[in-house]
Every structure is written in structure tokens, then in C-alpha cells.
Amino acid sequence: MATASVQAPNQERQRTVQGHTILLVDDSPTQVKRLQHLLSAEGYRVLVSRDAGEALAGMDVTQPDLVISDVVMPGMDGFELCRRIRDLKEASQLPVILLTHLNDPTHVLRSLEAGANYFISKPYHNGILLSRVAAALRREGGCCVAAQDGTVSCNYYGNRYAIAASKSQIIDLLLATYELAVEKNQEISKTQDALRRLNEELETRVAKRTAELRNTISELRQEIADRESAEECVRRLNRLHSVLSETSKAVVHIKDRKSLFHDFCRIAVDHGCFKLAWVGLLDKAGTMVQVAAARGSTAYLNGITITLDQEPTGSGPTASAIKNGSFYICNDFLNAANTAPWHERGREYGIRASASIALQQEGRVIGALTLYADKKNYFDRPQVELLRQMGADISFALGNMERDDRRLAVERALLQETSRRLQEREQHAQKIEYLAHYDPVTKLPNRFSLMARLAHSLELAKRCSNRLALIFIDLDRFKNINDSLGHHVGDQLLFQVAGRLLESIRSADIVARLGGDEFVVGLPLIRSNVSAAHAIGKIQHALCQSYYVEGHELSVTPSIGISIFPDDGETVQELMKNADLAMYHAKAGGRNNFQFFTQEMNQTVQERLVLEGDLRVAIERGEFLLHYQPQVEMSTGRVVGVEALLRWQHPVHGLVAPDRFIPVAEETGMIVAIGELALKAACRQLASWLAEGLPPIRVSVNLSARQFRQDNLPAVLLDILRETGIGSHLLELEITESSAMDNPAEAILHLQGFREMGVELAIDDFGTGYSSLSYLKLFPVHRLKIDRSFVKDIDTDTDDAEIAAATIALAHTLGKEVVAEGVETEAQCRFLQGQRCDIVQGYYFSRPLPPEELVPYLRNTPVPSPLTRA
Ligand SMILES: Nc1nc2c(ncn2[C@@H]2O[C@H](COP(=O)(O)O[C@H]3[C@@H](O)[C@H](n4cnc5c(=O)[nH]c(N)nc54)O[C@@H]3COP(=O)(O)O)[C@@H](O)[C@H]2O)c(=O)[nH]1
């Protein structure tokens, strides 16, 4: 076979499409559509005929350049059409391509027989079909051309083949090839059929499975819905139980209607999850429902009107429940006709269903409880049951409350009556009690009460070894006032006397009226008989002032008798009797005076009062003077100081020793003025000695406890130092150990202040008190003065000797000097010297001397022998 060159199919087609018309003959619209689309896209004009006869009849009109026809068609088939075209005069050369299925090899033979130019098996390849179309339009006899020498030249996709085989060989080969192709095609068809069947089966299965899945899904959906509904049901039931349990509790413990309604609404909303719950009560006229309590979306109720008339506002759920005395359920709130007046606000607040239950109190409908839910059809049977139960609970509680109220009212009335009677009885009893213990005229305790109180005070006095003074007071000539001005004036006078007595005494004291014009005052806790005398002085003074009663100026004087426990009696009766006796003595002695029960006591107290009076005068007149006792330094025998000791030059009694008047001055407070006088006098004296040319010595001045505590003492001291001009180091202040230890912390502060002024300090009477060592070391003093009671027997009593020795050692350890006072003998002096005592003072060296004698003493007296030897 000869080889032929073939042009590229695309270029080849390009040349042939211009102006060519192709007639498609096929009864299958699908095949036509596909081919038409393929050929039009290549630029061919495509005509279509569904029927071979019709195509043949219109051939002279359509004048196609090429016919492509299906083989199997109703009526005329493709072979017949091809045969008839070949019989046409003008179109006998018209190229015809037949499309056949590769399922029957006879189709090839019949195509050749009918004169078809090409046959193309279905399904065809687009490229092959277009290439055949182009070849047919160029009127080529296919890819094969018969040569002159009888061979066939075949141009197959650019390669030329020269085939010398005979036609029969070629047709045999064609048939063999076709058979093979048919066989393959049949296999493919079978495979396709099998595939289709499998596909169909698969589709059936998928459809079945899909249907099954759809069923399952819908079942699952149903199950979920069922479960959700069951869960919602459980939730609601739980809420119901919670509501019921809470309402039961509320019914038990709530005692008033307001709280009950509020609590039920609260429980419904908080535990029942209702949107809103409210209690409406009928007004007095029974025509309107008024909100009594609400919880939840309470704004829904703002300005709401619910009536019980025939108006639309009178036929809603609440009104209906009240009217029928039962309950009313509205499960479609927004669409129900009778809720029309509230549709708008219902929509605004998300209300979809409501339920109301009438509230009854002892069989009378008083209002309704209404609950709102945010779901349509919310109120099912259990909810309604809940509502009914809540209504029943409220009604039950209201009934109880009413009964309780009635019972309480009765009880209250009874209680009030009982309490009034009790009060009356108590007031009566108090009055009796008062009259039993108090005097109605003066309001003071009476005799009975007095005896009881005195017994108690006496008991305490005995237990604490205290004294107790009993003062009997009788008003002089009171009888005259009573007789002349009447009892009512006398009573008022007695009342005023009682007031003055109360003002004159301390709170712990006792005042009572015995009867008539007799009063008794009891003074527990008195320190001395003199203290009693002072109290009496105050009483006398108070009672002697004028009284004003009903326009009369009256004056009375008291006659007073005093008895003192333990001196004048051991019992209250004894003390009363003796005070009474003393009072008679006072009256007998000329009235307006007082008498102690015993004569000695009278004398002592009188003397004491005289002394106090004299002391006052002495301060005014300056009757005090100072004596000075030298203080000798043991190491040198030199007089290093003097102690200023106070004396009182009494105009009658001569020189009075301080022991006699200083305690009185202390008690009365006069010591402050006296002490200041002494301080000034001592400093002035020293200034005068210094001025006379005496060598500087220290002057010691005693400070009393009261003086030491005086806040202005530092200022007084500064004034004196400034006035006298003496160096502060030349002044020594002596405070007793007991006044330092009375309040050690305060004492330290005071001493510190003096020390800062440069004044020297000494603790006097050391050893007689109870100095705490811890405080002692904190006291900023320069010296300790061993009390003379320890010095007295220092050379004979080992205890005293040891105390003195220990005191000296202790003082030295603390960096302080020691002054021994009351040194009377050489032996005492030697002992103290042996113990390294720093300074000595006593009669052995000199008695306290008046200032004029001290100067010669200082100038002329030799150093005593023990000290010279030292
Ligand atoms: N607050 C004030 N108290 C003062 C003042 N002046 C004195 N007093 C206190 O009075 C108490 C008695 O004093 P007085 O009678 O003067 O006795 C003093 C000495 O005379 C006495 N003394 C001195 N040496 C001896 C002696 O050898 N033997 C002996 N039997 N007595 C002697 O001791 C008194 C001094 O005591 P004291 O003050 O403790 O150093 C007396 O407690 C004075 O404190 C005053 O101005 N203010």
C-alpha cells in the first residue's frame, strides 16, 4: 500500500466550512441536538429533518452539501435514504454519511451497498466525525483512493499507505475488524448494562437508605421533641413542687396578710418562673380590683383597670375568677376576646397565657391571685392544680389570720385590763412600800428605813475598821412656827430643811426624818471625829440661813448631838440613844450648838477646832518661824547644810512644835500656804547668811505630800529663787518616802522637773515606807535620809544596824548620798562612819537652832571628835 501525506485536520476543516450546508436526518432529538451543536460551532449551516422521506422530498429546495443520517428510523431507514439519493439525478453525487451503532456487521455491508460515502459508528469521536465531514465536503473518497495500478492509496492522518490487497481482502478485513469492534462494543454494552444495572441497584439502595434515614431523622426529631417536652414537663413539675413547698412554709410562718400576698407572688415568680404574679383585692364597694402585691413584670400592672361590671374590663381572667368564685384559665391571652383590653400591654410584656384563682376569706371572695406565663397553652392540668392549691393555701392562711386577729384582739383586751389592774396594784404597792420607807412630808427615808441603812453601814464599818458618826438634829423652836403659822407652813419648812441637809452631805451619807422636827444624819467613812465636826459645821451653816415659806421669812437653828462608832456604842440603838442624849445636852447648853456624846471627845474636837481657827489666824499674822539644824559631812566634819524646821510662835501657847499643827494643816489644806511661807523664809535666810559672808551651805526644806502634788509648786519655787537670788543647788527639797510612793510615776515626773531647775532632792524618813527598788532607782534624787527610828538603836539593835548598813550600801550603788538623822551619840556616829555614811544630823551635833544662834555655831563649834579622827 502507498503512503499518502495528510493535511492537519483543523486547517483542512477551515477550508471546507465556508458556505456549506449540512442536512441532518435523525428521529432522535438528543442526537440531533448534539450534532447540531458540534457542527454549528464549526461554522456549518445545519438543516435538520426528523424523517428520511421528508428529507428526500425537500432535497431540491434545501440543496445540502452533505447529508448525515441515522440508520434506524421509523419509516424510511438511512440505507434506503442513501439509495434514493443515489437515484436522484441532481444529487446522485451528494456525499452521505451514515451513523450506525456498532452492533451489527451487516450494517457495514448494507452501507456500502447503499452507496454511503462514510459510515461512522455510534458513539462517535467528535474529531473523527468532523474530519469525515470535511473529507466528504471536499468530495474526497475517504482516506483511500484507488490508484491506476489497481492498488489503493490510503492517507491516514498524514501517513500514506499503498495497499495492494484485493477488494475482497479489504472487505473481509473490514468485516473482521467490524466484527471485532462489534464484539468489543457488545462487551462494552454488556459492561455498560451491568454498570447501569449496578447503578440502578445502587440508586435504589441509596433511595431506600435515604428513605430509611429520612424516617430515622424524623423519628429522632420526634424523639427529641418528645424528650424536650418530657423535660419541660419535669421542669415544670419541679417548679410546681418548689412552689407548693414554699407556699406551705409561707402559710405556716407568715402572720399578716400583706406579707402573705407578697410572699406568694414572690414564690410564684422566683420558684414557679411565671412572668408576673399579682394579688388583686376587691375595693370596699366591691366593684374594682386593686393591686395588693405583685412580683415579676410588675410594670404590666401600671394604670391597669379591672372592674367587676359588664364593661370589657369586667370580663377578663381576674374578674371572671372573682365572679365565679373559682379559677379562670386563658391559654391564648393575645387572641382571646375577653382579654382584648390588655392585648397591647400583654404583647409588650411577652404575656401569652394567664390563670386566675379567686381568693376566699372565711367563705367570702376577697380578690384573686393571677399568674402570667410567656407561652401559649402553658396552663395544663398540673399548673391548674397548682393554682388551685395556691388559692386554697392563701384562703386557709387568711382564715387563720382572721381567727388569730379575733383571738388576739380578745387577748389584747384581756391583757390590757390585766396590766392596768397590775399597774394599779403595783402603784398601790409602791405607795405602801414608799410610805413604809419614806417620810411623805420631806421625801426623806423614815425611821424604819434609817435603821436598816444604819445597820448596813455599821456592819461595813465593823468589817473595815472604819468609824461611823451618827448626828441627831433637832430644830430649835420649830413648835412655835407650827403653832403660829400652821402645819402646812411647818411642813414646807421641814421640806426645805431636808433639801438643805441633802445638799450639805456626801452621796454615801444617810439623811432621814425621825418625825416632828427631828432629823438624823449618818456619816460612814469618816477619818476622824474632827471630820464629823467639819460635816456638822457645814450642816449648821446650811440650816441657819433664812427660809421663805408663803411670804414668811423664817429662821430656825439646829441643836445637834453626835455619837461615834466605835467609841460611843456598838449597836445602832446604842448609837441612836447616845446621839439623842448628846443632842439634849446641846439644847440644854443654849441651843444652836453641837455636843459629842463623851466629854473628852467634846474637848478634843473643840481643841482641834480651836487649833484650826488659830492656824488660820497664824497664817494671816505670820506667826511661823524656822529653826535650822546643821548637817555635817562625815568625811570632813564640815557643816554642809542645814534643815529648816518649822515652829509656830503661838501668842498664848508659846512655841508650838510642827508635830502638833502640821497634821491639822495637812488635813485642812492650810499646809500649802504654810509650806510656801517656810520655803520663802528659808531661802531668804540663806540669802541673808550669804550676804553676811557665811560660806555657802545647802538649806533643806520639808515638802508635805499635798504641797508636793501642787501643780504650781515649780512656778512658786522659781519665783522664790528669783526673788532671793540664791543658787538653786543650795536649796534641797525633802519629800517623804510615803508621798513619793503614793503615786511613783507622777512623783518621778515632779522630781524630774525640780531636778531640771537645779534644785537638790532628798527622800526623807527612808525605811519607814515601802519603797520599791525598781522605782527607787528611777527617782532622780541626790540623797536618801535614813529615818531617825533606825538610827536610835543602831549601835545596840542588829536589825536596825543591818537596815542602816543595807540602806547606805544600796544608796551608794544607786549613786546617791546618805544622810542619817537623829544621831544623838558618838557610838551611833562611829557606826555610821564605819558604814561610810555621807552626812549626819542630830542632837549629837546640834538641836535645831534659831537663825541668830546658827551663825555663832557655824563659826565657833569645833569638829566633833569622831569626825576629827576620821
Ligand atoms: N511639811 C513640813 N514639815 C515640817 C516642816 N518643819 C518640820 N516639819 C516636820 O515636822 C516634823 C517634826 O519636826 P521637828 O519637831 O522639828 O523635829 C525635827 C527635829 O527636831 C528632830 N530631830 C533632829 N535631831 C534629832 C535627834 O537627834 N533626836 C530627836 N529625838 N529628834 C531629832 O527630827 C525632826 C526632823 O525630822 P525630819 O524632817 O524627818 O528630818 C518632822 O517630821 C518634820 O519633817 C516644814 O517646814 N514643813
Side-chain angles (χ1 to χ4, degrees):
M1 275 200 255
T3 311
S5 65
V6 198
Q7 285 175 310
N10 279 346
Q11 292 165 344
E12 205 177 311
R13 268 203 313 271
Q14 206 59 39
R15 277 205 315 273
T16 54
V17 293
Q18 299 302 326
H20 287 134
T21 301
I22 299 172
L23 175 62
L24 293 181
V25 186
D26 199 328
D27 63 326
S28 159
T30 319
Q31 289 296 332
V32 168
K33 203 172 175 189
R34 189 179 161 211
L35 256 179
Q36 196 175 16
H37 178 74
L38 180 69
L39 296 169
S40 301
E42 288 295 308
Y44 297 111
R45 198 161 80 91
V46 180
L47 300 174
V48 176
S49 184
R50 302 278 168 86
D51 181 275
E54 182 192 281
L56 195 65
M59 197 72 78
D60 49 341
V61 180
T62 52
Q63 291 192 346
D65 298 306
L66 170 66
V67 174
I68 301 175
S69 175
D70 190 15
V71 171
V72 181
M73 285 184 290
M76 188 186 296
D77 62 15
F79 302 129
E80 185 58 27
L81 175 66
C82 187
R83 231 182 332 267
R84 298 252 189 123
I85 289 172
R86 291 287 169 256
D87 290 343
L88 290 176
K89 207 172 144 202
E90 291 84 11
S92 62
Q93 297 306 309
L94 181 67
V96 176
I97 297 175
L98 288 177
L99 293 172
T100 70
H101 278 287
L102 269 178
N103 52 6
D104 188 354
T106 58
H107 284 183
V108 180
L109 296 172
R110 289 183 69 191
S111 297
L112 293 174
E113 194 182 47
N117 296 65
Y118 295 107
F119 61 88
I120 297 173
S121 313
K122 287 200 263 185
Y124 49 79
H125 184 274
N126 286 349
I128 292 174
L129 183 125
L130 290 174
S131 151
R132 294 276 184 260
V133 166
L137 286 171
R138 285 197 307 273
R139 304 259 173 166
E140 288 172 359
C143 60
C144 299
V145 178
Q148 294 289 343
D149 59 357
T151 61
V152 175
S153 165
C154 180
N155 185 347
Y156 192 73
Y157 291 111
N159 291 325
R160 201 170 284 276
Y161 305 92
I163 302 161
S166 67
K167 261 186 188 174
S168 61
Q169 275 180 307
I170 293 169
I171 290 172
D172 275 349
L173 180 64
L174 177 67
L175 283 174
T177 310
Y178 210 87
E179 276 170 352
L180 192 66
V182 166
E183 197 181 308
K184 291 288 171 201
N185 204 23
Q186 279 169 348
E187 277 174 21
I188 289 170
S189 284
K190 271 184 196 162
T191 312
Q192 280 177 338
D193 283 350
L195 269 174
R196 195 174 53 251
R197 272 198 306 280
L198 275 175
N199 218 19
E200 279 168 9
E201 200 177 317
L202 198 64
E203 276 180 6
T204 315
R205 273 199 209 167
V206 167
K208 195 177 161 207
R209 190 79 191 110
T210 307
E212 277 172 9
L213 276 173
R214 266 200 203 105
N215 278 347
T216 311
I217 288 169
S218 110
E219 276 168 18
L220 274 173
R221 277 204 187 117
Q222 186 55 43
E223 207 176 305
I224 289 168
D226 288 351
R227 190 170 300 168
E228 277 175 356
S229 138
E231 279 171 3
E232 173 62 18
C233 199
V234 169
R235 269 198 297 277
R236 281 195 198 181
L237 280 172
N238 281 343
R239 289 202 291 262
L240 292 188
H241 284 132
S242 171
V243 168
L244 283 176
S245 136
E246 290 298 311
T247 50
S248 305
K249 278 189 230 160
V251 165
V252 174
H253 77 260
I254 292 179
K255 296 286 174 238
D256 67 284
R257 284 162 45 120
K258 205 172 167 197
S259 309
L260 180 78
F261 296 151
H262 276 291
D263 244 46
F264 266 65
C265 293
R266 178 186 62 73
I267 293 165
V269 172
D270 294 359
H271 293 263
C273 296
F274 288 103
K275 266 205 94 58
L276 167 66
W278 68 285
V279 170
L281 294 180
L282 284 172
D283 62 358
K284 278 198 182 122
T287 54
M288 298 278 286
V289 181
Q290 287 166 342
V291 179
R295 180 84 164 195
S297 306
T298 52
Y300 170 87
L301 298 169
N302 288 348
I304 202 163
T305 305
I306 292 174
T307 58
L308 288 183
D309 50 22
Q310 297 308 311
E311 297 298 312
T313 52
S315 54
T318 304
S320 301
I322 292 176
K323 280 177 187 169
N324 63 27
S326 176
F327 64 90
Y328 188 93
I329 306 298
C330 178
N331 261 327
D332 189 2
F333 192 89
L334 297 182
N335 294 310
N338 67 334
T339 53
W342 307 286
H343 280 175
E344 202 180 317
R345 62 172 73 205
R347 245 187 301 281
E348 188 184 342
Y349 291 97
I351 284 165
R352 298 288 178 270
S354 83
S356 305
I357 178 89
L359 301 179
Q360 309 211 349
Q361 185 168 345
E362 305 229 293
R364 193 167 36 91
V365 175
I366 58 155
L369 165 69
T370 304
L371 308 177
Y372 295 88
D374 54 4
K375 287 189 187 69
K376 256 167 82 173
N377 300 319
Y378 186 85
F379 292 96
D380 51 11
R381 192 184 289 272
Q383 300 289 336
V384 172
E385 193 41 49
L386 164 79
L387 190 69
R388 205 200 294 272
Q389 189 59 54
M390 286 178 84
D393 281 355
I394 295 183
S395 299
F396 172 75
L398 288 174
N400 275 351
M401 281 173 196
E402 190 153 295
R403 278 189 293 282
D404 281 356
D405 285 352
R406 278 202 298 269
R407 201 191 61 240
L408 272 175
V410 172
E411 281 176 5
R412 202 170 293 129
L414 270 173
L415 198 70
Q416 273 171 356
E417 180 56 19
T418 315
S419 125
R420 192 187 60 75
R421 285 190 190 169
L422 275 173
Q423 223 171 334
E424 248 179 39
R425 202 173 293 172
E426 202 167 312
Q427 279 168 356
H428 208 65
Q430 276 174 357
K431 204 164 174 183
I432 292 171
E433 168 81 3
Y434 186 81
L435 289 174
H437 292 92
Y438 288 87
D439 164 42
V441 176
T442 59
K443 315 287 182 230
L444 289 177
N446 61 13
R447 177 189 287 271
F448 175 76
S449 196
L450 170 76
M451 298 305 271
R453 292 181 191 205
L454 284 178
H456 176 68
S457 296
L458 186 64
E459 193 57 41
L460 277 180
K462 283 179 181 170
R463 211 178 300 155
C464 308
S465 304
N466 281 339
R467 302 171 80 78
L468 168 69
L470 220 132
I471 303 170
F472 237 85
I473 302 167
D474 185 280
L475 301 179
D476 303 328
R477 282 181 285 276
F478 174 72
K479 194 169 173 305
N480 293 350
I481 294 169
N482 234 359
D483 293 345
S484 57
L485 299 174
H487 281 264
H488 63 289
V489 173
D491 283 357
Q492 287 181 60
L493 176 67
L494 289 173
F495 183 75
Q496 289 191 26
V497 166
R500 292 186 190 184
L501 281 175
L502 284 170
E503 280 169 18
S504 313
I505 58 160
R506 293 173 306 182
S507 58
D509 299 340
I510 304 163
V511 185
R513 181 182 173 219
L514 286 187
D517 58 356
E518 286 181 345
F519 295 84
V520 170
V521 174
L523 306 177
L525 309 174
I526 50 157
R527 278 202 301 272
S528 67
N529 300 345
V530 181
S531 307
H534 284 149
I536 288 163
K538 271 164 67 183
I539 289 170
Q540 272 182 316
H541 179 75
L543 297 189
C544 288
Q545 308 303 310
S546 295
Y547 297 85
Y548 298 91
V549 182
E550 294 189 356
H552 304 284
E553 182 180 354
L554 307 171
S555 50
V556 284
T557 51
S559 290
I560 297 172
I562 306 128
S563 65
I564 295 205
F565 166 82
D567 307 329
D568 304 330
E570 282 287 318
T571 64
V572 172
Q573 287 72 16
E574 249 182 298
L575 290 166
M576 288 279 279
K577 193 185 81 191
N578 293 342
D580 195 11
L581 270 174
M583 189 270 291
Y584 274 103
H585 281 139
K587 268 217 189 302
R591 302 172 192 276
N592 192 21
N593 72 19
F594 68 88
Q595 285 290 320
F596 279 85
F597 173 62
T598 57
Q599 206 40 52
E600 317 90 88
M601 206 182 287
N602 267 334
Q603 199 173 331
T604 322
V605 170
Q606 291 306 335
E607 277 174 14
R608 163 73 188 254
L609 293 178
V610 169
L611 181 68
E612 280 181 22
D614 288 356
L615 258 181
R616 279 197 184 87
V617 175
I619 295 171
E620 281 164 25
R621 292 190 186 155
E623 293 173 354
F624 299 103
L625 49 93
L626 289 172
H627 283 184
Y628 298 89
Q629 186 172 35
Q631 295 180 327
V632 181
E633 189 175 55
M634 290 207 104
S635 58
T636 60
R638 279 192 311 116
V639 174
V640 287
V642 288
E643 180 179 2
L645 293 159
L646 201 60
R647 304 288 182 260
W648 175 13
Q649 189 63 59
H650 193 278
V652 178
H653 307 299
L655 207 60
V656 183
D659 282 343
R660 275 212 59 211
F661 66 88
I662 286 209
V664 179
E666 276 271 3
E667 247 178 74
T668 55
M670 287 187 271
I671 190 69
V672 176
I674 296 172
E676 200 175 316
L677 286 175
L679 256 174
K680 264 189 199 152
C683 292
R684 281 179 187 156
Q685 185 60 66
L686 179 62
S688 143
W689 283 330
L690 293 174
E692 277 175 43
L694 271 182
I697 52 167
R698 199 168 43 233
V699 64
S700 293
V701 181
N702 291 283
L703 285 187
S704 79
R706 201 187 268 238
Q707 211 183 346
F708 177 57
R709 288 196 302 269
Q710 257 338 83
D711 283 341
N712 68 340
L713 182 61
V716 170
L717 265 176
L718 279 176
D719 275 356
I720 294 171
L721 290 171
R722 205 174 298 123
E723 184 214 318
T724 57
I726 62 163
S728 55
H729 65 288
L730 293 179
L731 175 64
E732 182 178 66
L733 299 177
E734 289 186 15
I735 59 158
T736 59
E737 185 183 18
S738 53
S739 54
M741 288 309 296
D742 186 32
N743 183 345
E746 193 185 73
I748 290 167
L749 280 179
H750 283 284
L751 293 170
Q752 198 69 50
F754 296 138
R755 188 153 180 152
E756 279 163 18
M757 287 165 64
V759 172
E760 303 266 303
L761 299 165
I763 292 197
D764 200 4
D765 305 341
F766 190 77
T768 55
Y770 300 94
S771 283
S772 149
L773 278 184
S774 55
Y775 278 120
L776 189 60
K777 77 178 178 206
L778 294 174
F779 288 144
V781 297
H782 301 79
R783 288 166 201 96
L784 299 183
K785 286 186 81 176
I786 302 177
D787 190 66
R788 67 171 183 268
S789 57
F790 297 107
V791 176
K792 194 163 147 266
D793 300 320
I794 206 166
D795 50 338
T796 53
D797 185 322
T798 49
D799 284 350
D800 286 352
E802 274 170 21
I803 290 170
T807 304
I808 294 166
L810 171 73
H812 287 168
T813 310
L814 295 174
K816 303 181 195 306
E817 287 186 331
V818 179
V819 182
E821 65 181 15
V823 179
E824 293 185 356
T825 64
E826 190 180 327
Q828 290 165 346
C829 195
R830 285 189 191 286
F831 177 85
L832 290 164
Q833 196 177 28
Q835 297 303 320
R836 310 180 72 82
C837 178
D838 303 285
I839 297 165
V840 278
Q841 172 186 352
Y843 294 169
Y844 180 65
F845 302 99
S846 167
R847 285 180 170 273
L849 301 170
E852 59 278 7
E853 289 179 30
L854 185 79
V855 177
Y857 172 86
L858 291 177
R859 289 207 169 118
N860 307 326
T861 309
V863 176
S865 60
L867 303 184
T868 43
R869 276 199 293 280

